[in-house]
């Protein structure tokens, strides 16, 4: 089993604390789920029949390479979401379209629950991390592992990705490069007990499929007690008892 | 933050049971055992009272109607406003009822309030006299007149319809008696059954599997709105994730939600203000009051019976922490710092920092060291500015007619960076703060207000404090950029800009000392702005002019002329042969510091050992 190290960086990042989401406030460093998302963006293998993933990326180590710096932004956000039901109705009958006015004010919509709202974001500025991860296969298979590891290495080295990685929010673009063996990291002198941090939103213990929230499916939130020591956050494996998982 | 607030509430033994809160009760109404109103007692005290959250309030009329009662509006239990408990209307100067629709609604709430008391009185004998008195319209009307009379009074005795009122029975306030607690718990459990994923989600406050509270109680001490503000809220669909509803998005059980609210309210009660933010600092264990530097950060020399200066005190505590003299539990303690402000019924968290107590004390020490600046008499350091005063010093003083919001608008974005810089010695002072200071400082110097404040026999403390704060912050800015800056004059300073400022100060003093009559507009008023941005263009010319002043001075006061010449020679020697053609804003701030520190040095009273026979002290304080 091989581990891969990615160096990721970006001008802005916001790894939103779920408890302070309405006026966004970021964790001081990337969460394991956001880090997993960056690996997923480069390569993730799926079963062609069931369309379910055959693996997940287990983040094992996060190194903070730039000092933690916050920046306060005010952004326009929307209050409502495009629902699956509305979109299906529109597909059936395009003449009955109820659009989502992203830039509407209360004067336009006549109500408080629609349109746009201005909210604060406490984002991070100039972030740079080294993320170490390895592939966990739901059914161990030597050939598949070889394929996954080889494909990931090739794609990451060439800077290829399925979609542009992002740093917490889609609008905060993340850049990456594969760290070759022997390259040294210099984490910043940052030690902190962060406390309960989001580990992941989805159940990593079984092959994932898109969540059907319209059928009442709920995510499985997991948390862990994060402690950064000398710029390094060691992430326990998902199966670990140190990761508190919700009940499905 | 939630976990730390819950721990704080438990450490302080704050009321953390759901359905209970602390309310400011302004009045008590006495009730005799026979159910008669007796007297009106002023109170003004926070008491433990029944609590209804916003969703509870919304569902209360529906529940009561389902029980067969006629209810239009919801009301609180045992303690509510005078407008609700007695139907006291708010009146204008002419005695007419203000907002009649509001009054009509309050009368409906009065009916709900009476009903709740009546229901409770069936099980709680203590409340029977109250229910009896409330059910007698004549009695209520008679007492209402008493309240109306009290509302006509002026000053602190005046009763407002929004004042909260409760009852005084058997020689005690009913809120102090636990008799009603069980009834209230049962009533809440029936009226507001909790729903949600039962014990299925890990709590963000404790990590344990809990049933998430769908909505959380509001923080009431943040100011801005009497209805309070929610810290954890998902008020719009777009802020919910993956089909999770309301509080499920960040699971916290009801007990922990009540606890964090109690903790935060207690902290906000003694919060400090920075611009429009409230900031709080707390610890994970009890810290002796003398080791808590949070208040010092905002008012460094206003400690109660404080003999030591804040900086000395911080040094002493830091030493004790580093050498192990402080008790082990203090050495290992951690601090938590939060800055927040209200935003449309929500708490907007502006900053959240955690760390070791030692780091906090070290940050405070370094902050004060960086801000320390020589006072105008040049002999010792000026008193240190509190953080809010420092923030307000960035710009010109607020005019009385200006609204605080409008006044703070240009510097609002600097609140958090300054707060962070105070708590972390490695962070820079924001450049924008320096730009703001330079703008107001240059204007003040050129109008003469700066010199006037420094030379006045009885200076205005606020003006002087503002000058010290600004100079201190300029100094801190350069220190944090890695430059060397001393509290008082530094003849060896490497920057020519600094020495240009010194030169400007000397030239102004020469002009002043040589002139027999008062000068209308001296070189400072005329040339400070130009000299601080284009020194080569201005200072060379002014130096040439100063030779005439010195020549004149040499006839009447040769010693003084000699001393000035020596000083000029020192500055020119530090400057070298070339005057800078232009100065950037940062260099202009060094110019300002050089100017100020030279001025303070000139006013310094020399000690007998160091006093040269020909050295005058130009201005005596």
């Amino acid at each position: 089993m091989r581990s891969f190290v990615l160096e990721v960086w970006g001008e802005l990042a916001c790894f939103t604390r779920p408890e302070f989401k309405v006026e966004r406030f970021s964790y001081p460093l990337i969460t394991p789920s956001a880090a997993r998302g960056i690996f997923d963006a480069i390569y993730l293998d799926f079963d062609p029949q069931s369309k379910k993933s055959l693996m997940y990326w287990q983040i094992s180590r996060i190194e903070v390479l730039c000092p933690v710096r916050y920046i306060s932004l005010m952004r326009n956000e929307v209050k409502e979401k495009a629902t699956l039901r509305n979109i299906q109705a529109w597909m059936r009958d395009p003449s009955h379209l109820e659009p989502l006015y992203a830039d509407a004010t209360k004067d336009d919509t006549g109500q408080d629950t629609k349109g746009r709202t201005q909210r604060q974001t406490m984002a991070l500025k100039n972030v740079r991390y080294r993320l170490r991860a390895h592939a966990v296969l739901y059914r161990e298979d030597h050939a598949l592992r070889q394929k996954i590891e080889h494909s990931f290495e090739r794609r990451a080295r060439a800077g290829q990705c399925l979609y542009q990685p992002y740093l917490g929010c889609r609008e905060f673009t993340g850049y990456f490069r594969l760290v070759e063996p022997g390259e040294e990291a210099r984490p910043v002198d940052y030690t902190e007990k962060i406390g309960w941090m989001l580990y992941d939103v989805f159940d990593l213990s079984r092959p994932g499929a898109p969540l059907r929230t319209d059928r009442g499916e709920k995510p499985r939130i997991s948390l862990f007690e994060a402690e950064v020591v000398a710029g390094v956050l060691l992430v326990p494996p998902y199966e670990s008892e140190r990761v508190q998982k919700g009940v499905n | 933050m939630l976990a730390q607030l819950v721990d704080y509430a438990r450490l302080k033994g704050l009321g953390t049971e759901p359905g209970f809160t602390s309310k400011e009760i302004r009045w008590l109404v006495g009730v005799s055992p026979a159910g008669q109103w007796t007297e009106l007692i002023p109170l003004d005290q926070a008491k433990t009272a029944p609590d209804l959250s916003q969703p509870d309030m919304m569902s209360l009329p529906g529940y009561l109607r389902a029980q067969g009662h006629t209810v239009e509006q919801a009301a609180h239990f045992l303690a509510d406003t005078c407008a609700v408990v007695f139907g006291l209307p708010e009146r204008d100067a002419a005695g007419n009822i203000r907002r009649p629709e509001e009054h009509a609604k309050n009368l409906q709430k009065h009916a709900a309030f009476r009903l709740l008391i009546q229901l409770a009185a069936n099980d709680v004998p203590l409340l029977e006299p109250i229910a009896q008195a409330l059910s007698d319209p004549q009695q209520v009307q008679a007492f209402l007149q008493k309240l109306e009379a009290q509302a006509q009074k002026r000053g602190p005795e005046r009763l407002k319809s929004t004042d909260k009122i409760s009852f005084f029975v058997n020689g005690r306030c009913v809120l102090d008696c636990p008799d009603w607690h069980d009834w209230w718990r049962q009533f809440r459990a029936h009226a507001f059954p909790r729903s949600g994923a039962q014990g299925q989600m890990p709590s963000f406050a404790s990590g344990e599997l809990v049933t998430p509270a769908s909505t959380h109680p509001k923080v009431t001490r943040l100011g801005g709105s009497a209805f309070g503000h929610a810290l954890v809220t998902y008020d719009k669909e777009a802020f919910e994730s993956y089909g999770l509803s309301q509080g499920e998005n960040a699971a916290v059980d009801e007990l922990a939600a009540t606890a964090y609210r109690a903790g935060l309210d207690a902290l906000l009660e003694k919060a400090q203000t920075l611009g429009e933010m409230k900031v709080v600092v707390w610890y994970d264990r009890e810290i002796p009051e003398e080791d808590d530097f949070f208040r010092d950060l905002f008012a460094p020399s206003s400690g109660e019976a404080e003999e030591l200066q804040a900086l000395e005190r911080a040094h002493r505590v830091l030493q004790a922490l580093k050498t192990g003299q402080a008790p082990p539990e203090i050495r290992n303690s951690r601090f938590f710092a939060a800055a927040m402000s209200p935003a449309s019924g929500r708490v907007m968290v502006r900053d959240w920092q955690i760390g070791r107590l030692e780091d906090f004390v070290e940050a405070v020490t370094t902050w004060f060291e960086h801000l320390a600046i020589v006072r105008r008499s040049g002999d010792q350091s000026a008193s240190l500015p509190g953080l809010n005063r420092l923030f307000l010093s960035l710009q010109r003083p607020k005019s009385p007619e200006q609204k605080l919001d409008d006044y703070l608008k240009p510097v609002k974005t600097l609140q958090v960076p300054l707060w962070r810089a105070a708590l972390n010695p490695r962070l820079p002072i924001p450049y924008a703060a320096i730009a703001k200071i330079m703008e107001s400082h240059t204007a003040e110097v050129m109008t003469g207000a700066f010199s006037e404040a420094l030379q006045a026999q009885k200076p205005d403390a606020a003006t002087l404090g503002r000058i010290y704060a600004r100079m201190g912050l300029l100094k801190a800015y350069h220190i944090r950029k890695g430059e060397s800056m001393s509290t008082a004059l530094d003849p060896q300073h490497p920057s020519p800009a600094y020495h240009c400022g010194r030169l400007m100060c000397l030239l102004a003093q020469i002009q002043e000392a040589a002139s027999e009559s008062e000068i209308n507009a001296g070189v400072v008023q005329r040339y400070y702005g130009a000299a601080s941005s284009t020194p080569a263009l201005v200072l060379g010319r002014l130096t040439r002019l100063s030779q005439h002043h010195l020549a004149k001075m040499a006839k009447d006061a040769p010693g003084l002329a000699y001393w000035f010449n020596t000083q000029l020679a020192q500055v020119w020697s530090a400057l070298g042969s070339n005057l800078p053609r232009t100065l950037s804003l940062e260099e202009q701030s060094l110019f300002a510091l050089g100017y100020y520190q030279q001025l303070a040095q000139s006013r310094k009273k020399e000690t007998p050992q160091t006093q040269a026979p020909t050295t005058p002290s130009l201005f005596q304080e």
Side-chain angles (χ1 to χ4, degrees):
Chain A
M1 184 174 66
R2 288 178 63 190
S3 282
F4 297 97
V5 181
L6 283 183
E7 188 165 312
V8 300
W9 66 95
E11 274 178 66
L12 291 166
C14 185
F15 309 106
T16 310
R17 291 169 177 266
E19 67 271 37
F20 304 137
K21 188 177 173 187
V22 176
E23 303 279 352
R24 288 177 191 276
F25 196 96
S26 175
Y27 282 113
L29 77 165
I30 191 167
T31 56
S33 57
R36 182 176 62 75
I38 294 173
F39 278 82
D40 287 354
I42 297 168
Y43 189 78
L44 195 64
D45 213 329
F46 288 87
D47 181 351
Q49 266 83 49
S50 67
K51 309 283 186 201
K52 289 187 174 182
S53 62
L54 294 166
M55 55 162 296
Y56 70 90
W57 289 103
Q58 171 66 60
I59 307 293
S60 56
R61 187 182 169 94
I62 294 170
E63 293 169 5
V64 185
L65 303 185
C66 280
V68 177
R69 289 190 66 182
Y70 278 89
I71 181 169
S72 170
L73 313 163
M74 290 298 272
R75 297 191 297 167
N76 285 345
E77 303 200 23
V78 288
K79 294 181 192 170
E80 50 181 335
K81 286 192 283 199
T83 63
L84 190 61
R85 191 183 299 170
N86 278 354
I87 291 165
Q88 283 168 342
W90 170 70
M91 286 166 75
R92 278 194 299 274
D93 180 7
S95 62
H96 282 87
L97 171 67
E98 196 190 328
L100 196 155
Y101 296 106
D103 202 29
T105 60
K106 197 178 174 183
D107 295 338
D108 303 317
T109 60
Q111 52 175 301
D112 189 40
T113 52
K114 291 190 171 184
R116 80 160 182 224
T117 178
Q118 199 172 52
R119 297 285 161 97
Q120 184 199 234
T121 296
M122 280 296 282
L124 297 170
K125 201 173 151 186
N126 293 331
V127 297
R128 187 174 283 269
Y129 306 107
R130 269 196 183 187
L131 312 173
R132 178 182 290 273
H134 58 266
V136 177
L137 275 57
Y138 291 114
R139 274 181 58 189
E140 194 56 51
D141 174 341
H142 180 68
L144 179 62
R145 177 168 288 283
Q146 289 280 78
K147 178 195 162 200
I148 289 170
E149 291 178 349
H150 179 72
S151 301
F152 180 85
E153 187 176 33
R154 176 176 49 78
R155 292 174 64 85
R157 191 173 282 148
Q160 290 175 310
C161 49
L162 299 165
Y163 53 86
Q164 183 66 43
Y166 54 91
L167 300 166
C169 293
R170 291 265 180 184
E171 53 270 53
F172 299 145
T173 304
Y175 307 95
F176 68 91
R177 74 174 184 90
L178 183 71
V179 176
E180 302 294 350
E183 284 188 49
E184 280 184 25
R186 284 191 195 146
V188 290
D189 179 22
Y190 171 61
T191 298
E192 201 59 87
K193 281 182 185 169
I194 294 168
W196 290 104
M197 188 186 205
L198 183 75
Y199 188 98
D200 215 300
V201 176
F202 302 105
D203 185 359
L204 299 180
S205 66
R206 56 185 184 215
L211 205 64
R212 291 298 301 264
T213 52
D214 55 321
R215 291 184 187 162
E217 288 180 11
K218 296 244 170 173
R220 192 187 189 200
I221 307 287
S222 47
L223 311 178
F224 77 117
E225 279 203 289
E227 183 172 5
V228 185
V229 180
V232 178
L233 172 67
L234 295 176
V235 182
Y238 185 71
E239 300 77 31
S240 163
E241 282 184 1
R242 288 176 53 207
V243 180
Q244 277 286 9
K245 303 164 200 78
V247 178
N248 265 348
Chain B
M1 188 199 282
L2 302 180
Q4 288 83 6
L5 283 170
V6 170
D7 288 345
Y8 177 78
R10 289 186 182 144
L11 180 75
K12 293 287 178 188
L14 301 169
T16 57
E17 189 182 347
F20 295 83
T21 188
S22 169
K23 285 182 186 168
E24 286 287 329
I25 306 297
R26 177 96 167 78
W27 304 93
L28 287 179
V29 48
V31 189
S32 73
Q36 301 285 321
W37 302 127
T38 55
E39 64 207 306
L40 182 66
I41 309 160
L43 185 68
D44 254 338
Q45 230 180 62
K47 297 259 181 204
T48 302
D51 185 29
L52 280 169
S53 71
Q54 194 62 26
D56 292 350
M57 291 289 275
M58 284 163 75
S59 62
L60 184 66
Y63 169 75
L64 290 172
R65 277 197 291 267
Q67 302 296 308
H69 304 289
T70 314
V71 181
E72 300 296 331
Q73 291 283 338
H76 288 278
F77 175 54
L78 279 185
D80 209 324
T81 60
C82 293
V84 171
V85 178
F86 287 97
L88 178 70
E90 194 186 344
R91 293 186 189 277
D92 58 18
N96 300 320
I97 294 177
R98 264 190 200 155
R99 291 179 291 193
E101 310 82 31
E102 191 75 26
H103 178 55
K105 205 186 261 185
N106 281 335
L107 291 178
Q108 291 175 335
K109 287 182 180 178
H110 167 75
F113 183 86
R114 215 173 54 209
L115 174 66
L116 281 177
I117 296 277
Q118 184 60 59
L119 291 173
N122 295 339
D123 291 340
V124 186
L126 174 79
L127 305 181
E128 274 172 22
I130 304 171
Q132 200 179 329
L134 277 173
S135 60
D136 181 351
Q138 282 181 346
Q139 259 209 77
V140 171
Q141 203 55 38
F143 201 77
L144 183 59
Q145 283 172 7
K146 198 169 185 172
L147 294 182
E148 292 256 26
Q150 196 73 26
Q152 300 303 317
K153 293 191 176 173
R154 301 209 170 270
E157 282 183 24
R158 186 173 165 235
L159 179 143
K160 284 184 276 184
S161 61
T162 49
D163 287 347
K164 288 204 175 62
I165 193 166
S166 192
F167 307 97
F168 189 76
V169 188
N170 294 342
R172 288 177 78 184
C173 170
V174 283
L175 298 175
D176 294 335
C177 306
D179 306 37
W180 52 271
H181 287 194
D182 281 343
W183 179 85
W184 177 238
R185 285 184 191 111
Q186 283 172 18
F187 177 81
R188 279 190 77 247
H190 283 115
F192 321 115
R194 304 289 141 183
S195 60
Q198 296 291 321
Q200 289 183 339
M201 301 191 79
S203 162
F204 278 80
S206 64
E208 292 163 9
L209 290 181
V210 295
T211 303
S214 63
T215 54
H216 295 194
K218 289 187 173 182
V219 172
T220 55
R221 302 279 189 267
L222 188 57
S225 162
F227 297 107
H229 306 271
L231 180 65
V232 180
T233 166
Y234 298 89
D235 60 344
K236 301 286 181 295
E237 194 192 346
F239 297 98
E240 295 176 340
S241 298
Y242 305 108
L244 295 171
S245 155
Q246 298 242 358
E248 286 178 351
N249 286 277
V252 179
D253 61 302
E254 195 186 16
L255 202 65
T258 313
Y260 85 65
R261 190 272 298 264
L264 190 52
D265 262 342
L267 285 166
L268 285 170
E269 191 90 57
K270 49 183 182 180
Q272 297 286 349
T273 304
L274 176 57
E276 54 170 16
M277 303 191 306
K278 291 260 175 147
V279 292
V280 288
V281 170
W282 74 100
Y283 309 91
D284 65 349
R285 59 203 78 194
E286 290 288 353
I287 296 291
E289 209 166 310
E290 64 270 20
D291 295 349
D292 180 1
F293 287 93
F294 174 50
R295 259 188 314 167
D296 284 24
L297 208 49
F298 285 84
S301 41
S302 67
E304 295 146 12
E306 200 56 69
E307 288 174 9
L308 286 167
Q309 280 285 316
L311 186 55
E312 289 171 34
R313 219 158 62 80
H315 273 306
R316 186 172 49 79
V317 174
L318 195 59
Q319 189 68 13
L321 285 165
K322 283 188 168 161
T323 56
Q325 290 162 321
E329 66 273 14
I330 303 292
R331 288 206 297 275
N332 296 327
S333 69
R334 297 174 64 74
F335 80 94
F336 311 106
M340 44 193 68
S341 51
S344 313
R346 302 181 301 275
V347 177
M348 188 195 283
V349 179
R350 313 290 289 264
D351 190 42
W352 168 235
Q353 293 191 61
I354 52 180
R356 296 180 309 152
L357 174 67
E358 193 177 320
D359 295 339
F360 178 58
V361 180
E362 191 152 16
V364 174
T365 315
T366 315
W367 175 250
F368 286 151
E369 272 172 0
H370 290 178
L371 285 179
I373 193 82
V374 66
R375 70 178 187 184
R376 63 175 189 154
S377 53
D379 48 4
Q380 51 184 293
S381 292
S383 53
L384 295 161
L387 197 49
N388 194 42
R389 204 180 84 195
L390 186 76
F391 173 68
L392 297 177
S393 304
L394 295 181
Q395 49 179 354
R396 61 186 163 63
K398 183 175 101 57
S399 57
E401 64 273 13
Q402 197 174 17
K403 282 184 188 168
L404 186 66
D405 273 3
D406 295 339
Y407 177 66
L408 293 178
K409 212 171 261 175
V411 288
K412 228 159 78 169
T413 50
L414 295 171
Q415 293 170 139
V416 176
L418 263 186
W419 166 241
R420 286 194 153 258
L423 261 60
N424 187 346
R426 282 172 294 187
L427 285 182
I429 305 293
Y431 177 80
I434 301 308
K436 210 75 216 163
I437 286 182
M438 288 312 298
E439 186 188 314
S440 34
H441 167 75
T442 308
E444 237 171 57
V445 174
M446 292 184 73
T447 55
F450 183 78
S451 313
E452 208 173 289
L454 292 178
Q455 288 171 19
Q457 283 290 328
K458 284 185 182 171
D460 174 26
T463 312
L464 210 52
R466 197 165 56 246
I467 291 173
Y468 293 152
R470 285 175 180 172
M471 293 299 127
L473 201 65
L474 293 183
K475 175 176 161 257
Y477 175 80
H478 289 285
I479 291 176
R480 294 199 177 193
K481 280 200 77 186
E483 296 164 30
S484 76
M485 285 301 309
S486 60
T487 307
L489 185 75
D490 177 10
Q492 312 301 326
H493 197 282
S495 166
Y498 180 82
H499 297 293
C500 285
R502 288 180 64 197
L503 183 60
M504 182 74 203
C505 176
L506 283 173
L507 295 174
Q509 286 174 343
I510 289 169
Q511 187 199 33
E512 200 172 322
S515 305
E516 281 153 8
S517 56
E518 204 169 295
I519 313 159
N520 282 335
V523 289
V524 174
Q525 278 96 324
R526 281 176 195 267
Y527 298 111
Y528 184 91
S532 68
S533 53
T534 53
L537 211 62
V538 181
L539 290 178
R541 197 146 46 99
L542 288 181
T543 307
R544 265 203 315 281
L545 281 174
S546 75
Q547 294 311 306
H548 300 298
H549 293 308
L550 284 170
K552 186 182 163 200
M553 202 188 297
K555 289 178 196 160
D556 308 329
L560 188 61
Y562 174 78
W563 182 82
F564 270 126
N565 266 321
T566 324
Q567 293 291 305
L568 283 174
Q570 273 180 15
V571 174
W572 277 108
S573 131
L575 258 172
S577 53
N578 292 323
L579 273 173
R581 291 170 68 87
T582 55
L583 295 181
S584 66
L585 190 75
E586 281 180 16
E587 289 168 328
Q588 286 176 35
S589 67
L590 282 171
F591 183 99
L593 278 167
Y595 180 84
Y596 172 75
Q597 289 184 337
Q598 180 67 46
L599 194 67
Q601 179 73 13
S602 314
R603 293 163 59 85
K604 191 173 176 181
K605 287 178 188 166
E606 298 293 333
T607 56
Q609 289 81 6
T610 58
Q611 196 168 17
T614 51
T615 306
S617 196
L618 285 178
F619 311 97
Q620 300 298 323
E621 189 157 6

